[in-house]
């Protein structure tokens, strides 16, 4: 797939490759077998005594959350079961105060509702007899998140967080993240963002709390892209004014706890008109819960393990299964069973992706195992040094590169159905010093050096522009195919035209 102005020299193929990168030396590429293939295959790296063993490949692998107690610091966590007969929901979820691998572990959005956990200071009073009789929408009764700095979180395209940054940042100097892979600069945090004359300004006088952040990302090659992200409107695309797509494959989120009194005229619960359930945890004191309805009506009570309570939203009932004071979250990597109708996807359910399980001997000669996911490389220590293992979509490098100059689509009159679409391309073959300017149409491919390039499909995006999808094929046995066709033709001629005359019989 090429956007207008882009050029590339690789094609995607079916399957996945394991890339092995020693700390010093070239990278090696191994074609991985499909799921269910024979296990225990050796992957020998040339010039090294170290040996990798392919154990398994799974199309659906991922990291499953497991939470245990016993940490050395106060880290509250609660395990819930949500039941609603009216909408047919029965799900379990974890809320964890801090998880190094998930900056949003303390908050889960489920449909129109928000579930969260927050840490409060010690309370010497006894809250064990707290009642849930409060149904009056008073400002003091609403559980609000503690005032804190906003957090900018950057993820890889498959959801792996690579950086968490408090904004506004204290320094105006560029900030290096992800092991110096990227640099963040020109960071602007606007708590009361408003768009005026197609520009974003901070307007506290308007009184509308609408946090947003702007920043620029630069990689080690000097490529840049600018992002704008709104905390209350995360569905808005964060790329603005760019001629190319998100080349870094980054996903951006902004979390901004609402300050006391913000948007007070917009209603309770932060003006979002969304129901919420907040668990307030104390290290030396009782836990409480507070449920806020869309109209601001509040219910609250003490958290008791094994007991259930009604939130006040339709017939939603919450059962507290487990409460942990010193939670230790762990993410176990492995194959993920398929989702069935009897086991719907839970809020904490992992995202599945291709994964490869390998085994090896470390620098001490001990056998170890590990997982490589499409979004998560694996570093191992071998007798020959540190190696980085990466899983990637299988691709093939072409002897030429292709650049899309322009894409055109012609529709049938009065419809959006294409009658034809075509692409103006430039082909570059540096080795043979060849440059070709051609137009590829639906039924008119480009042939070059045994390769055939077809106009397969197209994309039209209001933000990023138009793109062409090409299918590229090479059939080195095409000569044999043509030769076989000639032989068949000769056989037909011999059968129907020559044989009757050679038999001597009269044919009527």
């Amino acid at each position: 797939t090429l956007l207008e102005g882009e050029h590339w020299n690789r094609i995607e193929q079916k399957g996945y490759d394991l890339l092995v990168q020693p700390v010093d030396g070239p990278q090696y590429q191994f074609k991985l077998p499909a799921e269910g293939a024979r296990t225990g295959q050796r992957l020998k790296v040339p010039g090294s005594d170290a040996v990798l063993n392919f154990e398994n490949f799974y199309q659906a692998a991922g990291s499953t959350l497991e939470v245990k107690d016993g940490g050395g610091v106060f880290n509250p966590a609660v395990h819930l079961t949500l039941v609603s007969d009216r909408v047919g929901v029965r799900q379990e979820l974890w809320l964890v105060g801090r998880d190094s691998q998930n900056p949003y572990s303390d908050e889960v959005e489920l449909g129109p509702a928000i579930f969260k956990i927050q840490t409060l200071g010690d309370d010497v009073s006894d809250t064990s007899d707290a009642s849930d009789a409060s149904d009056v929408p008073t400002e003091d009764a609403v559980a609000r998140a503690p005032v804190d700095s906003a957090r900018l979180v950057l993820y890889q395209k498959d959801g792996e967080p690579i950086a968490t940054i408090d904004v506004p940042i204290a320094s105006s100097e560029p900030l290096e993240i992800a092991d110096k892979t990227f640099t963040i600069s020109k960071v602007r945090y606007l708590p009361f963002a408003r768009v005026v004359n197609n520009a974003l300004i901070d307007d506290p006088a308007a009184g509308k709390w609408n946090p947003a952040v702007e920043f620029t990302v630069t990689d080690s090659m000097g490529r840049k892209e600018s992002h704008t992200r709104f905390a209350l409107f995360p569905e808005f695309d964060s790329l603005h004014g760019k001629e190319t797509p998100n080349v870094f494959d980054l996903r951006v989120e902004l979390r901004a706890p609402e300050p006391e009194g913000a948007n007070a005229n917009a209603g309770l619960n932060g003006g979002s008109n969304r129901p919420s359930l907040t668990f307030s945890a104390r290290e030396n004191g009782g836990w409480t819960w507070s449920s806020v309805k869309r109209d601001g009506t509040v219910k609250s009570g003490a958290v008791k393990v094994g007991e259930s309570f009604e939130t006040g939203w339709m017939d939603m009932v919450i059962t507290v299964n487990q409460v942990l004071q010193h939670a230790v979250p762990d993410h176990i990597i492995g194959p993920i069973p398929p989702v069935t109708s009897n086991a719907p996807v839970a809020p904490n359910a992992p995202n599945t992706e291709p994964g490869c399980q390998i085994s090896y001997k470390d620098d001490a000669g001990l056998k170890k195992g590990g997982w490589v996911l499409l979004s998560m490389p694996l570093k191992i220590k071998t007798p020959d040094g540190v190696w980085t293992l990466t899983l990637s979509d299988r691709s093939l490098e072409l002897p030429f590169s292709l650049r899309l100059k322009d894409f055109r689509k012609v529709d049938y009159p009065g419809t959006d159905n294409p009658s034809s679409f075509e692409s103006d391309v430039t082909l570059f073959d540096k080795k043979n010093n060849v440059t070709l300017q051609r137009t590829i149409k639906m039924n008119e491919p480009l042939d070059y050096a045994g390769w055939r390039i077809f106009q397969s499909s197209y994309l039209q995006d209001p933000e990023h522009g138009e793109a062409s999808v090409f299918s590229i094929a090479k059939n080195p046995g095409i000569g044999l195919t043509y030769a076989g066709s000639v032989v068949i033709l000769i056989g037909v001629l011999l059968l129907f035209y020559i044989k009757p005359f050679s038999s001597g019989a009269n044919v009527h």
Side-chain angles (χ1 to χ4, degrees):
T1 302
L2 291 178
L3 284 160
E4 291 180 332
E6 284 188 334
H7 64 90
W8 194 237
N9 67 336
R10 301 189 73 91
I11 55 175
E12 297 178 359
Q13 295 183 301
K14 291 183 178 179
Y16 299 90
D17 292 337
L18 181 67
L19 308 180
V20 179
Q21 178 66 69
V23 65
D24 294 315
Q27 184 182 79
Y28 296 95
Q29 184 172 349
F30 297 95
K31 289 186 177 181
L32 294 178
E35 187 170 0
R38 179 175 61 89
T39 62
Q41 300 180 41
R42 299 181 66 191
L43 307 177
K44 186 69 172 67
V45 176
S48 172
D49 294 332
V51 176
L52 297 174
N53 293 296
F54 166 78
E55 298 297 340
N56 261 313
F57 176 83
Y58 294 94
Q59 188 68 38
S63 178
T64 305
L65 175 65
E66 290 188 2
V67 185
K68 299 180 181 179
D69 202 9
V73 298
F74 178 57
N75 185 25
V78 59
H79 185 246
L80 315 173
T81 298
L82 296 72
V83 178
S84 174
D85 294 333
R86 183 177 300 179
V87 295
V89 171
R90 181 182 178 85
Q91 290 189 340
E92 298 181 3
L93 68 91
W94 274 103
L95 297 174
V96 183
R98 292 183 302 277
D99 184 351
S100 60
Q101 298 188 44
N102 179 15
Y104 289 171
S105 63
D106 59 344
E107 185 172 307
V108 170
E109 294 188 19
L110 182 60
I114 300 175
F115 300 81
K116 52 189 175 181
I117 187 172
Q118 65 180 17
T119 303
L120 300 181
D122 292 346
D123 186 2
V124 296
S125 62
D126 184 6
T127 59
S128 59
D129 294 329
S131 65
D132 50 352
S134 174
D135 284 323
V136 182
T138 60
E139 184 79 17
D140 294 338
V142 178
R144 298 184 179 277
V147 178
D148 197 359
S149 61
R151 285 191 291 178
L152 174 65
V153 186
L154 275 67
Y155 296 85
Q156 294 176 348
K157 64 177 181 179
D158 293 307
E160 184 70 19
I162 60 174
T164 301
I165 305 167
D166 288 340
V167 290
I169 59 176
S171 173
S172 60
E173 297 296 323
L175 179 65
E176 294 179 337
I177 63 171
D179 296 330
K180 300 183 179 180
T181 303
F182 299 106
T183 300
I184 304 296
S185 60
K186 300 180 181 179
V187 180
R188 291 179 64 215
Y189 177 59
L190 305 93
F192 299 88
R194 192 160 66 95
V195 178
V196 177
N197 296 329
N198 205 29
L200 199 62
I201 66 170
D202 193 29
D203 188 9
K208 180 65 176 177
W209 184 72
N210 182 31
V213 64
E214 290 183 330
F215 62 97
T216 299
V217 184
T218 308
D219 70 354
S220 57
M221 299 174 60
R223 298 179 298 177
K224 296 182 178 180
E225 64 183 30
S226 298
H227 287 263
T228 301
R229 175 59 67 190
F230 292 85
L232 301 183
F233 305 98
E235 66 275 10
F236 287 178
D237 196 298
S238 69
L239 292 170
H240 293 274
K242 287 173 54 59
E243 297 179 355
T244 58
N246 187 342
V247 296
F248 300 148
D249 286 327
L250 297 179
R251 182 166 63 86
V252 180
E253 294 190 50
L254 175 64
R255 290 193 67 191
E258 181 181 344
E260 189 74 28
N263 296 335
N265 296 327
L268 298 177
N269 197 18
S272 63
N273 291 325
R274 299 181 64 182
S276 67
L277 176 64
T278 302
F279 289 86
S280 300
R282 295 176 175 86
E283 184 173 11
N284 298 310
W287 287 32
T288 58
W289 60 267
S290 179
S291 172
V292 184
K293 296 174 63 175
R294 290 181 183 273
D295 61 1
T297 303
V298 179
K299 296 184 69 174
S300 61
V303 175
K304 298 179 181 179
V305 177
E307 294 190 3
S308 303
F309 60 87
E310 296 181 356
T311 62
W313 329 321
M314 298 186 298
D315 63 338
M316 179 68 72
V317 177
I318 304 296
T319 301
V320 179
N321 303 317
Q322 196 175 3
V323 170
L324 303 179
Q325 294 284 101
H326 304 87
V328 181
D330 192 11
H331 296 263
I332 309 300
I333 301 176
I336 304 299
V339 177
T340 64
S341 58
N342 296 326
V345 179
N348 296 123
N351 295 321
T352 60
E353 58 181 313
C356 173
Q357 186 181 18
I358 59 98
S359 63
Y360 61 97
K361 288 188 177 181
D362 64 6
D363 52 351
L366 301 176
K367 185 176 181 179
K368 292 189 175 182
W371 280 86
V372 187
L373 301 181
L374 196 62
S375 65
M376 188 179 70
L378 174 67
K379 287 189 177 182
I380 63 175
K381 293 182 179 180
T382 72
D384 294 335
V386 178
W387 291 1
T388 301
L389 311 182
T390 306
L391 191 64
S392 71
D393 296 300
R394 185 168 298 161
S395 64
L396 177 69
E397 185 175 1
L398 299 171
F400 57 85
S401 63
L402 199 67
R403 180 177 183 268
L404 176 61
K405 295 173 57 181
D406 184 45
F407 170 79
R408 294 180 298 277
K409 180 171 77 81
V410 179
D411 295 332
Y412 288 107
T415 72
D416 293 330
N417 299 324
S419 61
S420 67
F421 45 90
E422 59 189 33
S423 301
D424 294 334
V425 301
T426 304
L427 184 147
F428 303 94
D429 186 347
K430 292 184 179 180
K431 183 178 181 180
N432 297 310
N433 195 25
V434 174
T435 300
L436 297 178
Q437 307 276 352
R438 293 289 189 273
T439 297
I440 303 176
K441 300 182 181 180
M442 293 173 59
N443 298 313
E444 298 180 18
L446 167 62
D447 292 314
Y448 177 74
W451 296 87
R452 175 162 284 191
I453 306 172
F454 299 88
Q455 176 78 55
S456 176
S457 184
Y458 62 90
L459 300 172
Q460 290 182 308
D461 187 279
E463 176 108 15
H464 301 142
E466 297 180 319
S468 288
V469 181
F470 298 104
S471 294
I472 303 180
K474 184 176 184 180
N475 184 4
I478 192 67
L480 295 175
T481 303
Y482 290 152
S485 300
V486 172
V487 171
I488 292 175
L489 178 61
I490 294 174
V492 170
L493 293 174
L494 291 174
L495 180 64
F496 288 98
Y497 293 98
I498 298 179
K499 185 177 180 180
F501 293 104
S502 63
S503 65
N506 294 324
V507 179
H508 301 281

